[in-house]
Amino acid sequence: MSAKPGDRLKDEGTRLQVTAAGATAGVVSRFVIAPLDVVKIRLQLQTHSLSDPLSTRNLHGSPIYKGTLPTLLSIFRSEGLTGLWKGNLPAELLYLCYFAVQFTTYRQTTLLLHSTLGESTLPPSAESFISGAAAGATGTTATYPLDLLRTRFAAQGNDKIYKGFLPAIRQIHHQEGYKGFFRGLAPALGQIIPFMGTFFAVYETLRPKLSKLELPFSSGGALAGTIASVTAKTGTFPLDLVRKRIQVQGPTRGGYVHKNIPEYTHGTFGTMREIVAREGLRGLYRGLTVSLVKAAPASAVTMWTYERALRFYGSFGTGGNNVKGI
């Protein structure tokens, strides 16, 4: 049985409330999962492995990470507590802007579908997939330079390439031009469209059912978000890894904590072929475990915060009547 309109995330709140709630959810979620994000990026950029002795030649001082917790402890020991929050400023701006754009686009796309096709023309899962894909593509493109900055800061070791947020912007513009801010956009869009489409389709399908269950802290929405994120993340992870590898290309490629990052010059699929040739198929899934570990708290915190922020902001105006109680 399909969910009632009021039971679906896309039917709740006014445009301003949705934007504010999405931004709030992004900021809170980012701060909570920041250390896991740094670990994921470090593992994705690592091309060598302890299980392959030949790959550990010519490391030029690069660390060898293995596993989520050992990598977390290694970064803490060598770079201190602040090392686990590297890139947090551009990441907070990224999450603030991205989630605001994402949730707003998601709602507006749904309203557009309703006005052009009618509310009951598409199945709820198909409608959610289209709206989610549009939201992901719009949010990714609008905020991509911040995503690139987040990756490059997280990839820095104790030897700094970029001294700060604004100096990094000036340096990238000077050395690489405007195109430098959009390295890896193609695999990012190739990943985010199916990711967000799948995420929202699964989330909107599970949320009404799980919300009826007696779960602690009214966490049906958080559980639905976790399942949706893990499902979508696993299917699109190789493109996320390719995006990270391409983001650190350019004149600073050899200056990050991993000094042996290969040069990729043949686009998204060419990069995938090179990674498989050098590292095997599993090379496309480096960091998947921590990515899934991160996905659970990130999605749970995001959706839990979003729903409550939407209710909170809705209490300030007449539009609050549109927000279903949580």
Side-chain angles (χ1 to χ4, degrees):
M1 178 168 44
S2 62
K4 297 178 181 179
D7 290 332
R8 297 200 299 267
L9 183 67
K10 53 180 169 280
D11 297 309
E12 300 177 357
T14 65
R15 184 185 304 177
L16 181 60
Q17 290 162 9
V18 166
T19 303
T24 302
V27 170
V28 174
S29 172
R30 165 62 206 178
F31 184 81
V32 171
I33 57 92
L36 292 177
D37 200 39
V38 171
V39 169
K40 179 179 82 81
I41 291 172
R42 296 287 180 92
L43 290 173
Q44 285 181 311
L45 296 178
Q46 179 170 282
T47 61
H48 45 274
S49 172
L50 284 173
S51 60
D52 181 9
L54 292 178
S55 69
T56 58
R57 296 178 179 179
N58 302 317
L59 293 184
H60 306 294
S62 302
I64 302 176
Y65 299 128
K66 185 174 179 63
T68 301
L69 185 57
T71 300
L72 196 74
L73 294 174
S74 176
I75 295 171
F76 174 73
R77 285 194 296 266
S78 61
E79 302 171 44
L81 185 63
T82 57
L84 297 172
W85 269 268
K86 282 188 175 179
N88 195 53
L89 175 57
E92 287 287 5
L93 292 174
L94 167 66
Y95 277 55
L96 175 68
C97 299
Y98 177 81
F99 280 105
V101 173
Q102 172 191 284
F103 281 109
T104 302
T105 305
Y106 182 75
R107 182 177 183 275
Q108 292 304 111
T109 302
T110 302
L111 294 177
L112 178 62
L113 291 174
H114 287 176
S115 64
T116 55
L117 302 177
E119 290 195 30
S120 58
T121 302
L122 292 174
S125 58
E127 184 182 284
S128 297
F129 187 94
I130 294 171
S131 298
T138 303
T140 296
T141 304
T143 61
Y144 193 78
L146 292 170
D147 183 58
L148 181 135
L149 285 166
R150 181 269 303 265
T151 297
R152 292 195 177 188
F153 275 111
Q156 289 189 145
N158 288 319
D159 297 328
K160 298 290 190 297
I161 298 173
Y162 304 114
K163 305 302 181 183
F165 181 67
L166 292 179
I169 294 175
R170 289 192 292 267
Q171 185 174 336
I172 293 172
H173 177 257
H174 175 72
Q175 294 180 335
E176 305 171 51
Y178 289 110
K179 289 184 178 180
F181 292 102
F182 291 92
R183 289 182 185 272
L185 179 59
L189 292 176
Q191 181 242 349
I192 201 65
I193 292 175
F195 175 85
M196 292 311 304
T198 302
F199 174 85
F200 277 109
V202 175
Y203 179 77
E204 295 287 11
T205 300
L206 294 179
R207 179 175 174 258
K209 298 177 177 64
L210 293 177
S211 296
K212 295 176 183 177
L213 301 178
E214 295 295 329
L215 297 174
F217 308 109
S218 302
S219 57
L223 179 58
T226 299
I227 296 172
S229 183
V230 169
T231 302
K233 180 76 71 176
T234 302
T236 61
F237 189 80
L239 286 169
D240 183 61
L241 182 138
V242 169
R243 169 170 58 111
K244 293 295 190 297
R245 297 279 182 98
I246 295 177
Q247 283 180 328
V248 294
Q249 296 296 299
T252 58
R253 177 173 55 88
Y256 297 103
V257 66
H258 293 302
K259 312 296 184 185
N260 60 338
I261 299 173
E263 183 178 10
Y264 302 112
T265 59
H266 298 99
T268 301
F269 294 108
T271 299
M272 293 182 73
R273 286 193 295 268
E274 288 185 48
I275 292 172
V276 172
R278 292 177 178 177
E279 307 168 45
L281 189 61
R282 67 178 182 177
L284 294 173
Y285 290 90
R286 292 187 186 275
L288 176 60
T289 300
V290 67
S291 182
L292 295 179
V293 169
K294 185 190 77 163
S299 295
V301 170
T302 297
M303 304 314 296
W304 189 89
T305 305
Y306 174 77
E307 293 180 10
R308 280 149 185 79
L310 189 59
R311 182 183 180 186
F312 174 75
Y313 294 130
S315 67
F316 287 99
T318 56
N321 296 329
N322 295 331
V323 182
K324 184 178 176 66
I326 301 173

